[in-house]
Amino acid sequence: MKKLLTAALALVPALALAAPSTWTIEPSHSSAGFAVKHLVISTVRGAFTKVSGAVVLDEANVTRSTVEAAIDVNSIDTRVPDRDTHLKSPDFFDVAKYPTITFRSTKVAKAGKDGLKVTGDLTMHGVTRPVTLDVTASPEVKGLYGETRRGYTATTRVDRKDFGLVWNKMVEAGPAVGDQVTITLDLEVVKDQPKTASK
């Protein structure tokens, strides 16, 4: 009996490690950047500054992990107010109808030693399409108040026309706005603390 109890106690740390943990996206240190060609010759960059969501991380089997994220389209910032207003209009994102961009993972796979490929459903401008993000993660660190944090960088490339974002004008050099958009997510997440039972 004593040996059985000892063996059971030895399993406790392993079971604790195996339990998935939830990490909440910390909005003030996270953003969703994008880059698109302008007049064929240059690249315009911008960001959505309000990102929320959570990562459920399964350390024992990372392929069982999940990601959900939401982007406030009204938070778009290209450093040019008139351009931001145009991007919010029905010509582009039409924020009055579609104020949020969402991503929900459907598959997580390892990619090399430290990378991941996260496939999921991206919903933008009322259209949902599958995309795959190339993801790298930082090690865990302690924050200023003892909380546990880590960072994720995720990139993907989409054709904006696949999401009904088709506005354009032709000029001598070609289209005013490119179709291919590179998306980069820079996320800082905070590990949720386990809830303690109230007395």
Side-chain angles (χ1 to χ4, degrees):
M1 183 68 178
K2 185 177 180 180
K3 288 183 179 180
L4 182 61
L5 180 60
T6 301
L9 289 173
L11 283 174
V12 171
L15 291 172
L17 179 63
S21 56
T22 300
W23 301 69
T24 299
I25 294 174
E26 210 273 276
S28 63
H29 295 99
S30 301
S31 66
F34 60 89
V36 62
K37 283 292 185 182
H38 177 245
L39 298 177
V40 184
I41 60 171
S42 64
T43 300
V44 171
R45 303 180 190 278
F48 299 97
T49 59
K50 293 184 179 179
V51 183
S52 59
V55 176
V56 177
L57 181 61
D58 191 326
E59 298 273 13
N61 184 354
V62 73
T63 64
R64 292 199 295 253
S65 301
T66 61
V67 182
E68 288 191 19
I71 295 168
D72 181 351
V73 183
N74 273 294
S75 71
I76 194 168
D77 182 9
T78 65
R79 304 175 307 283
V80 180
D82 287 346
R83 181 166 60 206
D84 295 344
T85 298
H86 190 199
L87 289 170
K88 294 176 187 179
S89 76
D91 282 346
F92 285 96
F93 288 105
D94 198 358
V95 296
K97 287 185 179 179
Y98 312 109
T100 307
I101 296 170
T102 61
F103 176 82
R104 178 174 292 182
S105 66
T106 56
K107 179 182 178 182
V108 177
K110 292 182 178 179
K113 182 180 178 181
D114 300 315
L116 297 170
K117 285 192 176 293
V118 179
T119 300
D121 293 326
L122 177 66
T123 300
M124 178 167 58
H125 195 243
V127 178
T128 300
R129 299 280 188 184
V131 300
T132 298
L133 301 168
D134 294 313
V135 180
T136 57
S138 77
E140 293 183 8
V141 299
K142 288 295 182 182
L144 295 174
Y145 305 101
E147 75 280 10
T148 304
R149 295 175 179 257
R150 70 191 312 162
Y152 288 98
T153 298
T155 60
T156 192
R157 190 168 177 151
V158 300
D159 188 324
R160 64 188 180 93
K161 292 186 298 184
D162 289 343
F163 295 88
L165 300 170
V166 298
W167 184 94
N168 220 333
K169 285 187 177 181
M170 296 300 294
V171 296
E172 183 179 357
V177 183
D179 293 332
Q180 297 299 311
V181 182
T182 300
I183 299 170
T184 303
L185 302 174
D186 289 300
L187 305 177
E188 188 168 311
V189 296
V190 181
K191 190 174 185 179
D192 290 4
Q193 296 300 315
K195 295 181 179 179
T196 56
S198 57
K199 294 181 181 181

